[in-house]
Amino acid sequence: AKQGGGSRHVLYEARMESDARDQVELQADLRSAVARGEFELHYQPKVNSQRRRIGSVEALLRWHHPTRGSIPPNVFIPMAERFGLIGAIGDWVVDEACRQIAAWADQGLRMRVAINVSPHQLRQGNLVERIEAALARHAVDPAQLMCEITESAAMEDVSETQRAFDGLARAGVFLSIDDFGTGYSSLSYLRQLPARQLKIDRSFIQDLETSGDARAVVDAVIRLSHALGLRVVAEGVETAGQSEILIDLACDELQGYFFAKPMSADALVGWARGERPR
Ligand code: C2E
Ligand code: CA
Ligand code: CA
Ligand code: CA
């Protein structure tokens, strides 16, 4: 239930639903996209609200289709999940993120990277081993990698999630609960998970300036998270007003177009070195 983009995405989705042959074609293309090198990770800063520096970045997957141009993840990730391709794509993301962490380190930039992990990957059973193998391949410190798992995915299969989270935490990988507020998790359950971070869904941030209720919810989530020892990230921060309110409410990190859009790995280096967040 996420809204990743503008009307172009909506058009795309509408067209895809209506055209079954399109689906079949795209599915075949998706199958070979990894091998053809059509994927790229873009990176969006999470800005530390105290020091106003980048704490870390979120890696967001991009598919550059040879003839159709850029296809948004809200379109192809669900397809990949349906057609059993998410395992291979997820493996590519893990490897690429680790490769990039090492490449940035060579350029003198130490950066923690958060990747998005889908519920299907959680259920793979050997997710921890796959991630550990990638970390070892690129000689990356596990503490530099974070996995974002949506609240609703975490609730899909509670025992499987618990097992995966425990394994990742034991491996030294940081964990983040994504899109918080859109699912129905119980707080006692969340307390059992060894997560370090909680991301408040964009829908609450959007309403911060106009809705007292949204502000009360965000305030409560931040207080509770801090009581549980979790750091809080606000996602989808688009205005100075939202940013000010979140800083007032002691939100730890801010992410959104107001600070920076997702960008290529090279652009991120320039952004981290030069441009200061507002
Ligand atoms: P998400 O994990 O909730 O990622 C945040 C989405 O919000 C991204 O869309 C990001 O570009 C967008 N965003 C960031 N700041 C703002 C803002 O200020 N305003 C608005 N309107 N949007 C903002 P994107 O890149 O299109 O990704 C959409 C979703 O696709 C992600 O939602 C995530 O669920 C999924 N996704 C992306 N990359 C991966 C991946 O490597 N693996 C998996 N499994 N899922 C991925
Ligand atoms: Ca995410
Ligand atoms: Ca999110
Ligand atoms: Ca979201």
Side-chain angles (χ1 to χ4, degrees), residues 94 97-103 105 110-114 131-147 168-174 196:
V94 172
C98 291
R99 191 198 61 74
Q100 190 59 62
I101 291 169
R110 190 181 162 86
M111 190 63 72
R112 177 176 293 148
V113 175
I131 288 179
E132 284 185 310
L135 288 165
R137 220 163 22 242
H138 299 281
V140 166
D141 176 3
Q144 280 194 267
L145 189 71
M146 182 173 254
C147 290
L168 287 168
R170 257 197 310 277
V173 173
F174 282 46
R196 299 281 192 117

Side-chain angles (χ1 to χ4, degrees), residues 2 58 116 148 150 178-180 199-202 235:
K2 265 162 287 177
E58 176 176 6
N116 289 285
E148 295 190 3
T150 64
D178 203 357
D179 294 351
F180 185 79
K199 298 183 76 175
I200 304 179
D201 191 66
R202 179 162 73 88
E235 64 175 27

Side-chain angles (χ1 to χ4, degrees), residues 44-238:
Q44 186 180 34
K46 298 178 182 177
V47 176
N48 187 306
S49 68
Q50 298 304 307
R51 290 170 295 155
R52 299 294 191 101
R53 294 195 298 117
I54 310 183
S56 55
V57 292
E58 176 176 6
L60 293 156
L61 189 55
R62 298 293 175 253
W63 180 16
H64 303 292
H65 190 282
T67 58
R68 295 167 196 246
S70 177
I71 300 179
N74 286 343
V75 170
F76 71 81
I77 296 282
M79 279 182 68
E81 286 175 346
R82 241 187 350 262
F83 301 134
L85 302 171
I86 195 68
I89 295 174
D91 282 348
W92 183 85
V93 169
V94 172
D95 191 76
E96 175 62 11
C98 291
R99 191 198 61 74
Q100 190 59 62
I101 291 169
W104 277 330
D106 285 344
Q107 297 174 259
L109 185 65
R110 190 181 162 86
M111 190 63 72
R112 177 176 293 148
V113 175
I115 56 170
N116 289 285
V117 173
S118 84
H120 294 253
Q121 286 175 277
L122 275 187
R123 274 186 253 118
Q124 262 178 342
N126 57 356
L127 178 66
V128 180
E129 288 78 4
R130 283 160 183 270
I131 288 179
E132 284 185 310
L135 288 165
R137 220 163 22 242
H138 299 281
V140 166
D141 176 3
Q144 280 194 267
L145 189 71
M146 182 173 254
C147 290
E148 295 190 3
I149 297 161
T150 64
E151 179 196 16
S152 49
M155 291 305 291
E156 250 176 50
D157 187 334
V158 168
S159 65
E160 194 61 64
T161 301
Q162 182 81 49
R163 194 139 47 90
F165 268 56
D166 288 342
L168 287 168
R170 257 197 310 277
V173 173
F174 282 46
L175 294 158
S176 174
I177 310 277
D178 203 357
D179 294 351
F180 185 79
T182 59
Y184 302 93
S185 49
S186 81
L187 297 167
S188 59
Y189 169 58
L190 273 190
R191 202 165 52 92
Q192 290 169 32
L193 295 175
R196 299 281 192 117
Q197 180 181 91
L198 182 145
K199 298 183 76 175
I200 304 179
D201 191 66
R202 179 162 73 88
S203 54
F204 296 96
I205 309 307
Q206 258 174 338
D207 295 342
L208 263 187
E209 288 167 289
T210 51
S211 157
D213 284 355
R215 192 185 164 118
V217 169
V218 170
D219 186 20
V221 169
I222 292 172
R223 284 170 197 275
L224 185 85
S225 299
H226 285 167
L228 296 176
L230 292 163
R231 284 176 68 79
V232 185
V233 180
E235 64 175 27
V237 181
E238 293 183 349

Side-chain angles (χ1 to χ4, degrees), residues 12 15-16 19-39 61-71 75-77 79-80 83 85-86 88-89:
Y12 215 110
R15 199 174 76 205
M16 296 227 345
D19 193 343
R21 209 186 45 185
D22 226 39
Q23 284 264 8
V24 174
E25 254 176 46
L26 214 53
Q27 179 191 340
D29 292 347
L30 192 53
R31 225 172 260 289
S32 53
V34 169
R36 293 188 197 196
E38 293 169 3
F39 286 122
L61 189 55
R62 298 293 175 253
W63 180 16
H64 303 292
H65 190 282
T67 58
R68 295 167 196 246
S70 177
I71 300 179
V75 170
F76 71 81
I77 296 282
M79 279 182 68
F83 301 134
L85 302 171
I86 195 68
I89 295 174

